Amino acid sequence: MHQIFWSTQTQLYYTNFIRNLMKNVRLLNSLMAIAIAAFVFSCQQRETNPTNPNAITDEIKDQFRSLGFDPSDIRYIKQSNSITNEVKEGYLLEKDMFITKANFEAMLTSDSKSGVNGEQYRTNNLVQRLPRTIRVVGYTGGSGTISVSVDADNVNDGRASVGALSNRMRTGLQWAINNFNNINTGLNFQLSFSSNTSGADIIVFQEFNGEDGGIAEFPSRGNPGRIVRLFSGMNSYNNNVNEHVATHEIGHTLGLRHTDFFNRTISCGRGGNEGSGSAGAIHIPGTGTTNNASGFDFNSIMLACFSSNSQGEFSAQDRTALEFLY
């Protein structure tokens, strides 16, 4: 066996080396502990932060039910219009009604948010500052897009192509505006056909999707819903049916709901209750109610679905409802 003899200088060198090594080990352990703690905190932060603030929760659905809507097909959407350069986000319900987030919050805080129990929808989302002129532009310019993305499930629905109204749509829109100006309200509608949408209260586009019907926004902050899209499938219908759909969608911009909200089967042949009538509502005097079948208005222009025989005219109860509201 061999023995190793170190000099005093060598022993001192290695003693200092070992001391410095132990200091570095302790420092490395401290840094590792800090890094691990930071990683755990970061993970906890990601876990506690909502992954999608616009998810459709059960609470939101219950709130819409309390307002008299059917949330079964509710979607949260963002839409941007390349023609008007507007970006809006909110909720799409019942196929053709878009309610912005701001409008939804206002409806929840309204004293009139008790739901729907009669023919028309009535809460604080009505056009205000009466009498007033409503400027409507039937768009005649170039094509653009309304991009729609569904944030609730991170699915992008793509871009809806919109553009100028067809001749048949223009005739239907003109007749629809005549309908509203021929009733006794504090609203005076002025229609122009133009590619310039500045200053318009309501802009009516054609959406090139090949479908029937249309979609419109509800009023917001006392103003009428601004965007109406008439689907290009309407070009296969006559002027009276185009008048009907245009009048119906402008009715939504003034805050009207579907007449048969409580049973879409009446006009659509299928479907159920769009909202809970048991929540109570402000019934519009002089119009039919859900609990009075004999008084129900089967001729209302605000029925959920239309037919190829539609004439495009207000019923007596439609006129009563609008004249009461406005």
Side-chain angles (χ1 to χ4, degrees):
M1 185 173 89
H2 296 278
Q3 292 181 335
I4 300 176
F5 295 93
W6 289 350
S7 65
T8 301
Q9 184 176 2
T10 301
Q11 290 177 355
L12 181 60
Y13 172 82
Y14 280 106
T15 298
N16 290 335
F17 174 80
I18 291 172
R19 285 175 178 171
N20 290 332
L21 179 63
M22 294 302 294
K23 288 181 180 179
N24 290 334
V25 169
R26 286 194 294 270
L27 177 60
L28 179 61
N29 288 339
S30 298
L31 292 174
M32 289 179 65
I34 293 172
I36 292 172
F39 175 77
V40 171
F41 177 75
S42 177
C43 290
Q44 289 174 342
Q45 287 293 94
R46 284 197 293 270
E47 290 169 355
T48 56
N49 283 339
T51 57
N52 195 334
N54 297 322
I56 303 298
T57 64
D58 289 339
E59 180 184 6
I60 289 175
K61 290 181 179 180
D62 288 341
Q63 288 172 332
F64 271 106
R65 288 190 187 97
S66 74
L67 294 169
F69 293 93
D70 174 16
S72 61
D73 64 350
I74 187 173
R75 296 190 298 165
Y76 186 89
I77 68 174
K78 280 186 178 180
Q79 63 179 26
S80 60
N81 189 323
S82 67
I83 297 175
T84 63
N85 295 319
E86 294 176 315
V87 178
K88 294 184 179 182
E89 54 184 300
Y91 304 93
L92 181 66
L93 299 99
E94 302 172 22
K95 309 299 183 185
D96 68 342
M97 288 182 288
F98 177 67
I99 301 173
T100 64
K101 286 185 72 174
N103 195 25
F104 177 52
E105 293 168 0
M107 290 161 66
L108 288 174
T109 58
S110 168
D111 293 335
S112 307
K113 67 177 188 298
S114 53
V116 178
N117 195 23
E119 181 178 1
Q120 311 288 2
Y121 177 80
R122 182 188 188 280
T123 184
N124 72 328
N125 65 326
L126 295 174
V127 177
Q128 299 172 0
R129 300 183 296 279
L130 305 182
R132 65 182 291 183
T133 296
I134 304 298
R135 294 160 295 181
V136 181
V137 170
Y139 185 69
T140 60
S143 297
T145 57
I146 293 179
S147 64
V148 179
S149 61
V150 181
D151 283 353
D153 52 9
N154 293 321
V155 174
N156 191 335
D157 280 358
R159 294 179 178 272
S161 177
V162 296
L165 298 178
S166 67
N167 288 335
R168 191 163 291 180
M169 290 176 175
R170 291 178 61 165
T171 298
L173 178 58
Q174 180 65 72
W175 292 1
I177 295 303
N178 293 344
N179 285 337
F180 285 98
N181 282 333
N182 285 335
I183 58 177
N184 185 23
T185 70
L187 301 175
N188 175 45
F189 290 81
Q190 289 184 354
L191 173 64
S192 62
F193 293 99
S194 174
S195 60
N196 183 0
T197 62
S198 62
D201 297 300
I202 300 173
I203 308 169
V204 186
F205 296 99
Q206 176 175 192
E207 179 173 336
F208 305 106
N209 58 9
E211 299 179 7
D212 300 340
I215 188 169
E217 299 175 359
F218 269 155
S220 180
R221 295 188 173 92
N223 297 313
R226 191 156 192 256
I227 301 298
V228 172
R229 288 138 62 187
L230 302 178
F231 298 160
S232 55
M234 294 309 302
N235 290 308
S236 63
Y237 294 92
N238 62 31
N239 290 338
N240 283 328
V241 178
N242 275 269
E243 174 192 11
H244 178 104
V245 173
T247 304
H248 177 105
E249 298 306 334
I250 292 176
H252 282 320
T253 71
L254 303 181
L256 297 182
R257 279 284 304 274
H258 292 149
T259 304
D260 54 348
F261 78 94
F262 63 96
N263 184 3
R264 289 175 63 96
T265 303
I266 292 174
S267 65
C268 300
R270 59 186 175 86
N273 194 323
E274 291 182 356
S276 175
S278 62
I282 301 174
H283 174 246
I284 301 175
T287 65
T289 63
T290 61
N291 58 6
N292 181 7
S294 63
F296 177 76
D297 185 4
F298 291 93
N299 297 312
S300 173
I301 208 161
M302 294 308 297
L303 291 170
C305 294
F306 65 91
S307 76
S308 59
N309 296 320
S310 298
Q311 295 301 304
E313 306 300 329
F314 286 130
S315 70
Q317 292 191 36
D318 289 334
R319 290 192 292 272
T320 297
L322 285 163
E323 289 175 356
F324 178 85
L325 294 178
Y326 293 111

